[in-house]
């Protein structure tokens, strides 16, 4: 039985919360604690060994790393200086053709404005999306180390580059000057200034 530290009620050993007051129960410590193995039993690919050596879990073992990871995007600390290239998105079709959105930040979110939920995208396509095919948080463009990447954020109707396959959420793809981006039913052209 486990005694509740708050009210003193006795609870079953398998209980995680007190039946009387709802306080989280802490099991009695075991006589001999389980120790992590001295040698990790997994292989770290050599291509990421430098990164993994600086990252360790709370018990001092490097995290597992899959060999076939998606495209790795550099961290913001590796940004190009402010003199580097900037980019823009241009709407290509419809009544709003040639409307431009400057991409001057290191991360520019594409979506629809929603004040009630606190969503204010950098590229707000709400006025240009009468059918609401663009998600509120649809995609984002990342500027890292003088390169641009686009990443779908789990949108309902998908993000496509150059009419290729739908981007998988969380898998950034490199953008080059002149690429066509389709979000929902909105066609955009990516241009580097």
């Amino acid at each position: 039985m486990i005694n509740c530290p708050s009210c003193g009620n006795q609870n079953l050993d398998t209980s995680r919360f007190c039946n009387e007051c709802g306080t989280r129960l802490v099991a009695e410590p075991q006589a001999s604690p389980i120790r992590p193995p001295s040698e990790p039993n997994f292989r770290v690919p050599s291509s990421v060994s430098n990164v993994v050596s600086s990252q360790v879990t709370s018990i001092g073992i490097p995290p597992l790393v899959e060999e076939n990871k998606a495209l790795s995007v550099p961290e913001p600390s590796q940004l190009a200086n402010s003199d580097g290239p900037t980019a823009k998105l241009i709407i290509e079709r419809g009544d709003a053709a040639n409307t431009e959105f400057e991409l001057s930040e290191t991360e520019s979110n594409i979506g629809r404005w929603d004040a009630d939920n606190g969503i204010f995208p950098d590229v707000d396509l709400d006025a240009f999306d009468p059918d609401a095919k663009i998600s509120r948080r649809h995609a984002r463009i990342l500027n890292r180390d003088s390169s641009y990447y686009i990443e779908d954020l789990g949108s309902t109707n998908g993000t496509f580059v150059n009419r290729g396959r739908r981007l998988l959420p969380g898998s950034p793809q490199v953008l080059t000057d002149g690429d066509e981006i389709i979000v929902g039913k909105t066609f955009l052209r990516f241009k580097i200034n």
Side-chain angles (χ1 to χ4, degrees), residues 87-109:
K88 60 185 170 185
L89 288 176
I90 305 167
I91 296 179
E92 287 207 309
R93 298 182 179 180
D95 296 336
N98 298 321
T99 302
E100 296 184 4
F101 299 93
E102 287 294 323
L103 305 173
S104 58
E105 301 296 321
T106 59
E107 190 173 299
S108 299
N109 291 308

Side-chain angles (χ1 to χ4, degrees), residues 106-174:
T106 59
E107 190 173 299
S108 299
N109 291 308
I110 301 170
R112 289 188 297 120
W113 187 78
D114 182 6
D116 293 339
N117 293 310
I119 300 170
F120 306 102
D122 304 299
V123 179
D124 178 14
L125 297 173
D126 189 39
F128 313 108
D129 184 35
D131 298 329
K133 297 293 183 182
I134 297 172
S135 298
R136 286 174 176 81
R137 289 187 179 104
H138 198 99
R140 68 179 170 177
I141 294 181
L142 306 165
N143 178 3
R144 303 286 192 269
D145 200 21
S146 298
S147 296
Y148 286 88
Y149 305 85
I150 187 165
E151 177 182 13
D152 186 86
L153 298 175
S155 64
T156 302
N157 293 305
T159 303
F160 303 86
V161 176
N162 296 327
R163 301 184 191 221
R165 290 186 172 189
R166 180 179 180 157
L167 296 183
L168 295 174
S171 298
Q173 178 174 328
V174 175

